[in-house]
Every structure is written in C-alpha cells, then in structure tokens.
Amino acid sequence: MRVAGTVRIPPTARNVGAATLRVRLQDVSTADAPATVLGEFQTEVRGTVEEMASIPFSIDADIPEDWQGCLDVSAHVDRVGDGAIHAGDLLSTASHPVSSRGQIGVVVEVQVVR
C-alpha cells in the first residue's frame, strides 16, 4: 500500500535552513504504548519557509488490505538531525489517520516546537 501527500510548513516558522524531514506511517492501535513504525520517508530539506511551504512525500508499506489496526502518519522536520525533538524543530501535533488500502493526498501540517 502507498501513502502519499505533502508536509506543510507554516508561514510563521523561521527559515528551516538544512534539516532532515521524516514522515512515518505508524500503527497506533494500542493505547498507552509506543506506536510501531511500519514505513518511513526521509529526505534532506534546505531552503526558506516560502521555498519549502509544501514538501511531497511517499511511503510504501506491506500492509494487508484487511488490516484491523489504526494507521496514522506523522512528520518531524529535524533541524539537528539526531532524531530527537528539540526546540525549533517542526512536528505534526494532530492525528492523520489513513486507510490500510493506501491513501493519496494526505496533508500533514507541522508546528514549531517551542
């Protein structure tokens, strides 16, 4: 299955410069437990907020169509590049559920971590 869409950087964010964008497809079925990463898109991004207002992504994952769990997409613009969340990074804070049959046109908005 394929999940594709864009990560939207808010116009109020300061210039990103160079960073790593990670978009993850996760199984979020189990309450009070860490999500399981089922697929990931990663790329290096560079530029101004205007140049990177909308960054495309695509994730392919081997998930059965009869999957009964809950799938969600999250995004992290990692300015340090170490995978940890730091002040100044951009992070999705809302749920972005997707179908186990795949989904095109997912829009993931990120917010600045303060």
Side-chain angles (χ1 to χ4, degrees):
M1 64 90 84
R2 172 171 284 175
V3 175
T6 57
V7 174
R8 287 203 182 144
I9 308 287
T12 55
R14 61 185 173 90
N15 287 342
V16 173
T20 302
L21 169 64
R22 288 182 192 86
V23 183
R24 292 182 172 155
L25 175 64
Q26 303 173 102
D27 175 4
V28 294
S29 302
T30 307
D32 298 326
T36 302
V37 177
L38 302 173
E40 181 175 83
F41 170 87
Q42 181 173 313
T43 190
E44 299 302 312
V45 294
R46 174 181 298 275
T48 65
V49 171
E50 293 81 16
E51 293 168 335
M52 298 188 337
S54 185
I55 306 167
F57 71 89
S58 181
I59 302 170
D60 291 310
D62 188 21
I63 297 173
E65 283 191 25
D66 62 348
W67 175 269
Q68 297 299 310
C70 297
L71 300 174
D72 194 80
V73 176
S74 66
H76 178 197
V77 178
D78 185 356
R79 292 181 184 214
V80 175
D82 64 358
I85 298 169
H86 299 279
D89 284 358
L90 296 125
L91 194 66
S92 59
T93 57
S95 176
H96 299 90
V98 295
S99 167
S100 63
R101 293 185 190 98
Q103 195 164 329
I104 306 299
V106 177
V107 177
V108 181
E109 295 186 4
V110 293
Q111 303 297 320
V112 178
V113 175
R114 306 217 185 268

